[in-house]
């Protein structure tokens, strides 16, 4: 049965404080202005200079007034991203190509690290120290499972070769 | 400078050689970060689920800090101000900002039109670096950032940049009326704040559904609500129907998003094979648990591609669905009032304070739900002196 809601809420701090929508200054209401339905006519902020390549959705003209500049598209992942942006946000290929580019970009990141003399610390980057501290049993299980899968794979390959 | 650096799914590191951000637009400010949080939605990036998350990106859209430098057009801030920075990057002038839809600004994200710019949230949200760093570039510094009130604890201030406003807006979008039964799916930080906020709108009953006992225990105590583990329920939808006289809840809030557990088909197609934009289990449960004519409020993060959701039930039940990224700036005055009056003390959800240098471990602890973690915050070295 439904719980009886006729009860004393005095133990709940602030109960009902925002219950009246008319007394909530933040309650979202559409603010109508004379500019409604007139398109992109607002006073645009000054344009940030485009010093790196910035990809933009084909569902809007040009760039927004500001944008992020780190990690501009580069390499093979950059090529895939540029291709993805030929398609609108409503096309699944736009997003799947971007996800593909992300995976390629991960390989590029490892390559870039090694080329610059940095050997990636996979154990540390994956949070291995925390796993060791808070989930030792889980870590042992994962390592054991990995070893088991490896042994089975090697055994299967040997059998195939024989 | 020191900054978090994304290297691929589940792999991040603290990088000491990240270039310092610089003023790139007359409205920019450079902020020295004093606290930043890891948000549940950062985990979707961390797990590789958000398209166009480029290697080398610094995450972090929940941060506060001290203004170090301002662009020539900035008028409302000065060097040395302590500011809290809403996660939305908003121009304050476009047609959407005019409607206070700061999460949908049309002048901050060239790469997608659905969402506005967000700090450290992939190039799909504008390609800005985030605040899990020593310094961060803050565009439109006259619009978003707010000077932290003198008497406000900085731990509360950092939770005003996203998690509290998002939880509050989830309750607000639910249109809760006094006496309503509200069900919140997800007892992560946002779900906890949504449950807490539901009382402010006069809820008569607040129920939270999750699968992690420590989070259920936490939300039960912090938000004084009922909390149930869906793993111990045969069917959460049936349970909610049964406990609401077989009618359904008045309002259901999805505070989970694309990494929901609890349904094998959704897990396989959404999280493992990525055939849809994440698992929509919480949204299914919300739509199916709400009363006919009720309201479903969504603040859980979903990817931009399609999802398998029971739209037929939405039509047949006459449900209203409301959803958005929180418009933090719009909500701040009221939420500051709630904190100052003692009605809500958000900082109680912070369970871990971790040096920025240990960001890899911080992400792993939060992602793997180790050490009863509810909300971790990262402290850069300069803020620890």
């Amino acid at each position: 049965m439904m719980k009886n809601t006729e009860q004393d809420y005095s133990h709940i701090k602030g109960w009902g404080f925002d219950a009246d929508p008319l007394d909530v200054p933040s309650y979202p209401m559409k603010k109508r202005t004379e500019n409604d339905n007139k398109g992109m006519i607002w006073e645009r902020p000054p344009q940030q200079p485009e010093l790196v390549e910035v990809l933009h959705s084909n569902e809007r003209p040009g760039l927004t007034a500001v944008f992020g500049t780190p990690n501009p598209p580069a390499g093979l992942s950059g090529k895939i991203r540029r291709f993805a942006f030929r398609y609108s946000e409503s096309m699944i290929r736009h997003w799947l190509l971007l996800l593909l580019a992300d995976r390629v970009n991960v390989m590029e990141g490892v390559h870039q690290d090694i080329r610059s003399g940095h050997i990636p610390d996979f154990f540390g980057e994956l949070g291995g120290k925390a796993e060791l501290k808070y989930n030792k049993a889980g870590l042992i299980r994962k390592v054991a499972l990995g070893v088991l899968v490896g042994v089975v794979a090697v055994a299967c390959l040997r059998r195939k070769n024989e | 400078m020191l900054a978090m650096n994304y290297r691929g799914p589940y792999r991040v590191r603290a990088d000491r050689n990240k270039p310092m951000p610089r003023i790139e637009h007359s409205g920019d400010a450079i902020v020295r970060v004093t606290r930043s949080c890891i948000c549940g939605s950062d985990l979707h990036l961390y797990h590789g689920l958000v398209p166009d998350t480029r290697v080398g990106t610094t995450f972090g859209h929940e941060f506060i800090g001290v203004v170090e430098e301002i662009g020539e057009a900035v008028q409302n801030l000065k060097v040395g101000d302590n500011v809290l920075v809403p996660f939305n990057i908003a121009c304050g002038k476009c047609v959407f900002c005019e409607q206070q839809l700061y999460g949908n600004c049309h002048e901050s994200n060239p790469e997608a039109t659905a969402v506005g710019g967000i700090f450290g949230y992939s190039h799909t949200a504008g390609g800005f670096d985030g605040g899990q760093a020593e310094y961060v570039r803050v565009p439109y510094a006259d619009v978003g950032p707010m000077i932290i009130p003198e008497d406000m604890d900085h731990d509360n201030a950092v939770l005003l940049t996203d998690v509290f406003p998002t939880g509050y807006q989830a309750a607000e979008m639910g249109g809760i009326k006094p006496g309503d039964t509200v069900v919140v799916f997800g007892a992560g930080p946002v779900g906890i704040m949504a449950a807490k906020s539901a009382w402010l709108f006069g809820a008569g009953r607040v129920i939270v559904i999750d699968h992690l006992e420590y989070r259920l225990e936490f939300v039960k105590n912090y938000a004084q609500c009922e909390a149930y583990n869906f793993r111990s329920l045969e069917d959460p939808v049936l349970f909610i129907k049964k406990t609401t006289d077989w009618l359904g809840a008045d309002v259901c809030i999805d505070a989970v998003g694309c990494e929901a557990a609890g349904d094998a088909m959704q897990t396989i197609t959404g999280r493992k094979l990525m055939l849809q934009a994440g698992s929509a289990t919480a949204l299914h449960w919300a739509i199916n648990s709400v009363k006919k004519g009720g309201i479903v409020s969504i603040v859980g993060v979903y990817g931009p591609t399609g999802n398998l959701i029971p739209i037929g039930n939405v039509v047949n039940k006459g449900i209203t669905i409301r959803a958005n990224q929180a418009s933090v700036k719009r909500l701040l005055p009221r939420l500051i009032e709630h904190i100052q009056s003692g009605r809500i003390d958000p900082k109680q959800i912070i369970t871990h304070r971790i040096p920025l240098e240990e960001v890899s471990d911080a992400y792993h602890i939060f992602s793997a739900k180790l050490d009863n973690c509810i909300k971790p915050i990262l402290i850069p070295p300069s803020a620890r002196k």
Side-chain angles (χ1 to χ4, degrees):
Chain A
M1 282 298 286
M2 190 125 110
K3 194 171 167 179
N4 178 17
T5 54
E6 295 296 319
Q7 54 180 277
D8 179 15
Y9 296 105
S10 57
H11 63 293
I12 307 281
K13 262 191 199 168
W15 184 86
F17 196 90
D18 291 335
D20 178 3
L22 297 177
D23 191 33
V24 181
S26 64
Y27 201 80
M29 304 285 280
K30 178 159 168 60
K31 187 178 154 195
R32 299 211 173 264
T33 71
E34 72 276 17
N35 294 335
D36 278 0
N37 306 317
K38 288 189 180 169
M40 293 178 67
I41 54 130
W42 56 88
E43 184 201 337
R44 296 197 67 206
Q47 182 65 51
Q48 176 182 337
E50 189 185 354
L51 303 176
V52 296
E53 182 184 0
V54 179
L55 300 173
H56 78 89
S57 168
N58 65 4
E59 293 184 34
R60 57 163 300 129
L63 295 175
T64 50
V66 305
F67 45 81
T69 53
N71 312 303
L76 177 60
S77 63
K79 284 186 181 153
I80 300 170
R81 291 191 212 283
R82 283 181 207 112
F83 184 61
F85 273 84
R86 290 186 189 181
Y87 303 103
S88 80
E89 294 159 62
S90 67
M91 304 282 261
I92 191 147
R93 74 189 75 163
H94 172 79
W95 301 110
L96 291 182
L97 283 165
L98 289 175
L99 280 170
L100 172 68
D102 289 349
R103 300 302 174 258
V104 171
N105 196 197
V106 171
M107 305 296 177
E108 290 171 336
V110 174
H111 180 243
Q112 199 179 39
D113 270 348
I114 294 169
R115 219 177 46 185
S116 61
H118 178 94
I119 307 296
D121 167 18
F122 287 100
F123 182 75
E125 289 173 359
L126 289 162
K129 218 172 72 189
E131 181 79 358
L132 206 55
K133 188 170 176 190
Y134 299 111
N135 192 25
K136 209 175 274 175
L139 182 63
I140 291 167
R141 266 200 306 275
K142 276 178 226 165
V143 171
L145 187 68
V147 170
L148 184 71
V149 169
V151 167
V152 170
V154 169
C156 288
L157 281 173
R158 276 194 178 168
R159 215 165 146 186
K160 204 176 164 188
N161 288 341
E162 279 165 13
Chain B
M1 68 163 181
L2 181 71
M4 174 271 189
N5 182 333
Y6 172 76
R7 305 310 298 173
Y10 296 89
R11 275 180 57 221
V12 299
R13 68 179 179 230
D15 190 340
R16 292 190 180 277
N17 302 314
K18 184 100 185 178
M20 278 285 288
R22 57 179 194 276
I23 302 279
E24 299 192 44
H25 183 268
S26 57
D28 287 356
I30 303 297
V31 168
R32 177 171 58 81
V33 177
T34 52
R35 279 168 180 75
S36 61
C37 299
I38 304 179
C39 176
S41 47
D42 284 329
L43 297 182
H44 307 317
L45 299 167
Y46 177 67
H47 297 157
L49 294 172
V50 180
D52 215 351
T53 302
R54 301 182 191 172
V55 167
T57 301
T58 295
F59 299 168
H61 54 271
E62 299 180 356
F63 62 92
I64 59 169
V66 181
V67 177
E68 285 281 308
E69 194 184 341
I70 51 173
E72 57 193 26
V74 177
Q75 294 181 333
N76 298 341
L77 297 181
K78 59 182 189 308
V79 171
D81 282 343
N82 273 298
V83 286
L84 69 89
V85 183
F87 74 92
N88 328 102
I89 299 171
C91 72
K93 290 183 172 177
C94 70
V95 66
F96 304 112
C97 285
E98 271 282 299
Q99 288 175 46
Q100 298 187 308
L101 294 168
Y102 298 106
N104 307 94
C105 173
H106 212 60
E107 289 287 8
S108 56
N109 177 14
E111 310 216 11
T113 54
V115 68
I118 300 175
F119 292 98
Y121 214 77
S122 96
H123 276 66
T124 297
F128 299 91
D129 266 344
Q132 289 166 11
E134 288 184 291
Y135 296 90
V136 63
R137 172 194 168 209
V138 175
Y140 299 132
D142 272 341
V143 182
M146 178 175 187
I147 295 173
I148 300 172
E150 288 272 320
D151 60 344
M152 179 167 283
D153 188 312
H154 284 202
D155 282 351
N156 275 334
V158 75
L159 297 178
L160 276 169
T161 60
D162 176 358
V163 57
F164 180 21
T166 300
Y168 183 88
Q169 187 169 311
E172 182 195 58
M173 290 190 301
I176 299 165
K177 290 179 289 300
D180 275 358
T181 295
V182 179
V183 178
V184 180
F185 291 95
V190 167
I192 292 169
M193 296 314 297
K196 189 84 178 163
S197 300
W199 295 117
L200 296 170
F201 291 91
R205 193 178 174 194
V206 179
I207 301 169
V208 175
I209 306 284
D210 197 279
H211 67 121
L212 296 167
E213 282 299 334
Y214 78 89
R215 298 210 299 198
L216 290 164
E217 198 53 36
F218 186 93
V219 73
K220 202 157 42 174
N221 294 327
Y222 178 73
Q224 295 131 300
C225 58
E226 299 167 51
Y228 300 98
N229 190 330
F230 65 75
R231 301 235 187 258
S232 65
L233 303 171
E234 190 193 342
D235 175 349
V237 173
L238 192 61
F239 170 76
I240 289 160
K241 288 281 171 67
K242 203 186 262 184
T243 194
T244 52
D245 205 15
W246 301 102
L247 294 178
D250 300 287
V251 176
C252 283
I253 294 171
D254 171 0
V256 179
C258 64
E259 293 194 76
D263 181 288
M265 191 276 284
Q266 290 281 341
T267 300
I268 293 167
T269 58
R271 291 165 66 193
K272 304 296 179 195
L273 301 176
M274 294 174 80
L275 294 174
Q276 51 171 335
S279 151
T281 306
L283 186 51
H284 268 255
W285 287 348
I287 289 168
N288 292 330
S289 306
V290 81
K291 192 184 267 184
K292 291 172 197 168
I295 299 179
V296 169
S297 166
I298 312 170
V299 287
V301 170
Y302 287 92
T305 51
N307 270 96
L308 301 167
I309 59 163
I311 196 69
N313 289 359
V314 175
V315 176
N316 289 334
K317 291 175 78 173
I319 295 167
T320 299
I321 293 186
R322 296 198 62 190
N324 206 350
Q325 300 282 350
S327 282
V328 177
K329 183 181 161 68
R330 172 173 64 79
L331 299 167
L332 279 177
R334 174 51 62 96
L335 301 191
I336 287 172
E337 194 189 329
H338 283 321
I339 290 174
Q340 287 176 332
S341 68
R343 284 187 281 274
I344 284 191
D345 186 23
K347 69 175 184 295
Q348 288 181 36
I349 70 167
I350 296 171
T351 51
H352 288 67
R353 309 171 77 82
I354 301 173
L356 178 59
E357 298 91 314
E358 295 171 25
V359 69
S360 319
D361 292 325
Y363 265 90
H364 184 67
I365 289 169
F366 193 35
S367 161
K369 316 286 187 282
L370 302 178
D371 197 30
N372 291 348
C373 185
I374 299 282
K375 185 73 173 172
I377 63 172
L378 298 166
I379 318 284
S382 65
R384 300 199 296 270
K385 283 170 193 164

